[in-house]
Amino acid sequence: MKSKATPFTNSRFEKQGYTVYELPKDLPFEGAGDALLDREGRWLWAGYGFRSELDSHPYLAKWLNIEVISLRLSDERFYHLDTCFCPLTGGYLLYYPPAFDSYSNKVIEMRVAPEKLIAIEEADAINFACNAVNINKIVVINKVSDLLKKRLTKVGFEIVETPLTEFLKAGGAAKCLTLRVTEPVMADRHETVMVESRTIRMEGHLLDSGLISHALDLVVENGGSFQVLNFKLGEQRQSTSSADVKVSAPSHEIMEEIISLLIDLGAVPPPQEICDANLEPVIQDGVGPDDFYVSTIYPTEVRVNGQWVRVQNQRMDGALAITETPEGITAKCKILRDLKVGEKVVVDVVGIRTIRKAESREQRNSQEFSFMSGSVSSERRVELVVEQVAWELRQIRDRGGKVVVTAGPVVIHTGGSEHLTHLIREGYVQALLGGNAIAVHDMEQSTMGTSLGVDMKRGIAVRGGHRHHLKVINSVRRYGSIAKAVEAGFVTSGVMYECVKNNIPFSLAGSIRDDGPLPDTQMDLVKAQEEYAELLQGADMILMLSSMLHSIGVGNMTPAGVKMVCVDINPAVVTKLSDRGSIESTGVVTDVGLFLSLLVNQLDKLTSRYNVAQTV
Ligand SMILES: NC(=O)c1ccc[n+]([C@@H]2O[C@H](COP(=O)([O-])OP(=O)(O)OC[C@H]3O[C@@H](n4cnc5c(N)ncnc54)[C@H](O)[C@@H]3O)[C@@H](O)[C@H]2O)c1
């Protein structure tokens, strides 16, 4: 069997009575280096990832009428299966696990009994210990560690060690110096292959926006392989392109993973393969079927009874619940606990599509929010980001839109309180989300002048200050609520004061580390999540200010299309939130107090420019 026709070899084999099969052009398969029979002849282990393609494996299964087990190589140093994997007699397996991806390791562990697995260390692996020749109980091997020799001897193998360092330079050892042409193969065997293939279609500015390369990278990074069947390139700058891509994966499970990632990028099946979504009934309130489709932030449609139905309440990590009534079909994105008996839930990944805006060259380069291309801004770019956020806040306020702020206590500790209160007073904030701490430290500052016991004017810790916040909590508990504490004149300034005075709704979600808590802090987390979701409805922009917990919680509830600005000193938090693959989110790595003061400054500049324009 060969991947490329060489007429002389072909005829030579044929003259010897062999049947020669040829793989399609450009489908690489590197022969015995990537295909090793189990020593009892039960199946063929086949490698892919570097030199051979996964799509060659179904051909091997058919032509050799055998089960093929696909293993993905993931360490470039071990480019062929026989450099890191050596089936031995008696069902033993000598191998180097880190050379394979985690799925392949699972497959190996399912096929070979634990007592027969001989996993080797890196030092032996790079000396190509697995590139060994095994005849019955003899193993011919390059120089290896005493430990490995001991392990092999213990299970009855006789080691013949031979230095092959010269051959290592060419990328092989003992096995690469041989070609075994006769191997025992079990008589009762059948063509079986786990490899699955599906075709998807991508449309849009595939090259301009990098969408196609992103999609193909996703396939490969997740253990699959692809073949571009059709590529229609849009000729004009404005025209879109389309591509049909055959995606292959070593198992159904991995195929589902890859397809759901591609759906997020807007992939659909080609028209002839479009079918309804698979639905399964909910048989216990609050529990979905095993294989339920996990929702993302992207606007989604589900195909039910031949029609595409738009999913309502889009959010991340939910299930798609379908209800059919005489009035029609509705699809809702629900968190598991809200599923009800009588609903059906989408399982699998067919009959689902996401609606992605075609991202053209123009849009990508446009001024508006161009900095927000899912990127993390470094200090150098903070001022530019601030200018654009200010401009956007102004637009939203002027058209009566909605901005939700989620904030942690660091806003208060860093002196950001006066700026956040200014934003609330000036009508730039329509809802506030946070935890117990932001409210506690905000009122501590307004009533006692300290935040976490630190004098906010002098920047020094006040004697006994660590108890201040507890005293505040105690007082507010006595009043019964923050609003009542404001009414009674106990709280006379600050973030919470402005919320109460300006009728800005807020929700404080409880956590395990809360002191008190304040009477307003919602300690029933299911209720707190519901309050958050309600306040987030219809938001045009979310400003996430230095709270990992609350910002990530909010991020998961928010569909694509809502502009998100995440400010945190820790790049990891910012990256997590801005890496949603949606162009509207951005991260700003900076001190939150500084960010807020720049923002307020910038807004004031915009206001004075506006006032000048009005007078002129
Ligand atoms: N006394 C209390 O009741 C109390 C005290 C603290 C926290 N909590 C609760 O614990 C939960 C988690 O608290 P959290 O949101 O403060 O913590 P968190 O760890 O979720 O988030 C704090 C974030 O602030 C960032 N940060 C630190 N310094 C910064 C700076 N100068 N500028 C910008 N970002 C900065 C950190 O990187 C971190 O991501 C909340 O629910 C909170 O209410 C309660």
Side-chain angles (χ1 to χ4, degrees):
M1 194 182 316
K2 315 189 317 30
S3 62
K4 209 162 154 210
T6 45
F8 296 113
T9 350
N10 279 5
S11 70
R12 195 163 168 192
F13 274 117
E14 275 159 356
K15 273 189 207 140
Q16 301 287 326
Y18 290 102
T19 311
V20 176
Y21 294 105
E22 280 188 33
L23 284 159
K25 190 174 152 284
D26 296 332
L27 182 60
F29 161 63
E30 296 234 332
D34 266 333
L36 300 171
L37 272 166
D38 155 67
R39 300 307 310 276
E40 264 108 61
R42 294 170 294 180
W43 56 70
L44 184 76
W45 300 100
Y48 74 101
F50 293 112
R51 303 281 182 91
S52 298
E53 268 304 325
L54 180 64
D55 276 329
S56 64
H57 296 180
Y59 289 94
L60 304 183
K62 188 163 124 203
W63 293 334
L64 300 175
N65 190 24
I66 198 167
E67 179 178 10
V68 172
I69 301 174
S70 305
L71 299 177
R72 180 178 173 222
L73 299 162
S74 58
D75 180 335
E76 280 178 313
R77 294 171 302 172
F78 307 100
Y79 56 92
H80 272 159
L81 183 64
D82 69 359
T83 60
C84 51
F85 191 91
C86 181
L88 301 173
T89 41
Y92 285 95
L93 176 67
L94 187 67
Y95 79 124
Y96 179 53
F100 299 92
D101 71 5
S102 61
Y103 172 77
S104 304
N105 269 300
K106 248 197 283 169
V107 170
I108 294 169
E109 286 158 21
M110 270 160 56
R111 291 289 174 141
V112 184
E115 66 278 10
K116 304 250 166 164
L117 283 174
I118 307 171
I120 66 169
E121 298 294 329
E122 188 181 21
D124 283 325
I126 54 176
N127 278 331
F128 284 146
C130 292
N131 201 256
V133 175
N134 167 223
I135 301 154
N136 301 325
K137 283 286 175 186
I138 296 172
V139 179
V140 183
I141 204 164
N142 182 32
K143 280 201 90 50
V144 289
S145 66
D146 288 343
L147 184 71
L148 179 56
K149 275 186 271 183
K150 248 190 231 152
R151 284 178 67 193
L152 285 166
T153 318
K154 200 170 162 202
V155 289
F157 289 100
E158 184 187 327
I159 310 299
V160 179
E161 224 183 351
T162 173
L164 292 165
T165 44
E166 278 308 298
F167 297 101
L168 289 194
K169 292 176 190 164
K175 156 76 169 51
C176 285
L177 298 171
T178 64
L179 177 63
R180 197 186 275 260
V181 284
T182 51
E183 282 258 49
V185 177
M186 226 167 71
D188 181 25
R189 61 186 207 281
H190 302 284
E191 169 194 347
T192 324
V193 67
M194 304 288 281
V195 178
E196 257 192 38
S197 298
R198 284 197 208 173
T199 306
I200 52 119
R201 175 166 292 181
M202 310 264 335
E203 276 170 359
H205 295 276
L206 299 185
L207 292 182
D208 278 26
S209 65
L211 191 61
I212 191 75
S213 44
H214 185 32
L216 300 181
D217 284 351
L218 273 182
V219 173
V220 175
E221 281 159 16
N222 286 282
S225 126
F226 65 83
Q227 190 187 348
V228 180
L229 303 175
N230 242 321
F231 196 100
K232 282 203 205 104
L233 185 62
E235 285 169 13
Q236 305 294 338
R237 208 166 72 156
Q238 303 295 345
S239 29
T240 53
S241 307
S242 88
D244 285 351
V245 182
K246 180 181 152 200
V247 178
S248 301
S251 71
H252 181 68
E253 192 188 334
I254 293 188
M255 177 59 94
E256 295 225 325
E257 253 173 61
I258 294 176
I259 295 290
S260 54
L261 291 170
L262 293 174
I263 290 175
D264 294 350
L265 292 185
V268 288
Q272 66 280 10
E273 287 180 30
I274 290 180
C275 56
D276 278 357
N278 292 331
L279 306 180
E280 273 186 30
V282 175
I283 47 176
Q284 185 185 341
D285 281 349
V287 180
D290 277 346
D291 201 14
F292 77 94
Y293 170 80
V294 181
S295 65
T296 63
I297 58 169
Y298 304 110
T300 304
E301 291 186 345
V302 183
R303 197 165 182 275
V304 187
N305 299 343
Q307 76 185 84
W308 287 103
V309 184
R310 179 68 178 260
V311 174
Q312 301 165 21
N313 301 348
Q314 193 66 44
R315 58 157 291 152
M316 225 170 109
D317 295 345
L320 306 185
I322 311 294
T323 25
E324 292 180 62
T325 59
E327 289 78 52
I329 303 164
T330 47
K332 269 196 188 140
C333 193
K334 285 189 151 190
I335 27 190
L336 291 175
R337 64 171 182 255
D338 291 336
L339 291 175
K340 291 269 173 297
V341 173
E343 288 173 331
K344 286 184 178 157
V345 167
V346 177
V347 293
D348 211 330
V349 287
V350 296
I352 303 167
R353 68 181 185 194
T354 56
I355 317 295
R356 300 283 304 251
K357 275 188 255 154
E359 203 184 317
S360 68
R361 171 181 295 280
E362 280 65 31
Q363 272 171 308
R364 279 189 303 127
N365 296 339
S366 75
Q367 268 303 91
E368 186 195 357
F369 272 82
S370 58
F371 70 96
M372 293 199 165
S373 46
S375 61
V376 173
S377 309
S378 62
E379 292 287 356
R380 283 182 294 113
R381 299 189 60 208
V382 170
E383 289 195 16
L384 172 66
V385 178
V386 166
E387 269 176 39
Q388 304 220 25
V389 175
W391 183 81
E392 189 71 16
L393 279 177
R394 178 76 204 220
Q395 301 281 315
I396 296 175
R397 188 189 70 170
D398 292 354
R399 65 167 188 263
K402 182 171 185 181
V403 173
V404 179
V405 169
T406 167
V410 180
V411 169
I412 314 295
H413 307 326
T414 55
S417 170
E418 60 175 297
H419 308 301
L420 184 54
T421 53
H422 179 85
L423 292 181
I424 299 171
R425 245 191 334 259
E426 295 296 315
Y428 291 109
V429 179
Q430 280 65 48
L432 177 76
L433 309 175
N436 195 53
I438 168 103
V440 168
H441 294 295
D442 169 61
M443 291 186 290
E444 177 194 337
Q445 194 199 341
S446 89
T447 56
M448 305 178 97
T450 57
S451 180
L452 208 62
V454 173
D455 186 310
M456 291 305 288
K457 289 218 171 71
R458 293 178 298 149
I460 50 163
V462 173
R463 188 191 295 261
H466 62 285
R467 291 191 216 103
H468 283 185
H469 74 282
L470 293 169
K471 294 190 172 164
V472 174
I473 292 172
N474 194 40
S475 303
V476 178
R477 288 179 69 84
R478 186 173 303 119
Y479 288 108
S481 72
I482 295 174
K484 285 184 183 150
V486 170
E487 258 170 52
F490 174 68
V491 179
T492 53
S493 62
V495 174
M496 300 319 296
Y497 171 84
E498 293 299 343
C499 282
V500 172
K501 284 289 177 193
N502 293 283
N503 286 324
I504 301 303
F506 59 85
S507 172
L508 304 178
S511 83
I512 193 82
R513 52 185 292 206
D514 291 348
D515 296 316
L518 289 167
D520 305 66
T521 303
Q522 181 52 268
M523 297 308 280
D524 178 339
L525 280 186
V526 172
K527 283 207 184 118
Q529 284 185 352
E530 283 166 7
E531 280 178 26
Y532 264 44
E534 208 182 307
L535 290 179
L536 284 164
Q537 286 276 340
D540 298 291
M541 188 199 257
I542 303 174
L543 269 183
M544 300 171 154
L545 306 174
S546 63
S547 173
M548 178 161 60
L549 182 73
H550 296 279
S551 301
I552 293 176
V554 165
N556 292 351
M557 296 180 186
T558 309
V562 180
K563 284 164 183 156
M564 284 187 357
V565 181
C566 172
V567 185
D568 201 290
I569 202 97
N570 177 355
V573 174
V574 164
T575 306
K576 181 159 173 58
L577 274 150
S578 53
D579 192 19
R580 293 159 34 106
S582 94
I583 56 163
E584 308 88 359
S585 50
T586 197
V588 194
V589 179
T590 192
D591 176 85
V592 70
L594 175 71
F595 175 86
L596 284 169
S597 100
L598 292 173
L599 184 62
V600 165
N601 246 324
Q602 192 57 36
L603 281 165
D604 286 349
K605 268 192 216 161
L606 283 180
T607 308
S608 40
R609 251 184 257 160
Y610 177 81
N611 291 343
V612 170
Q614 291 290 90
T615 359
V616 172

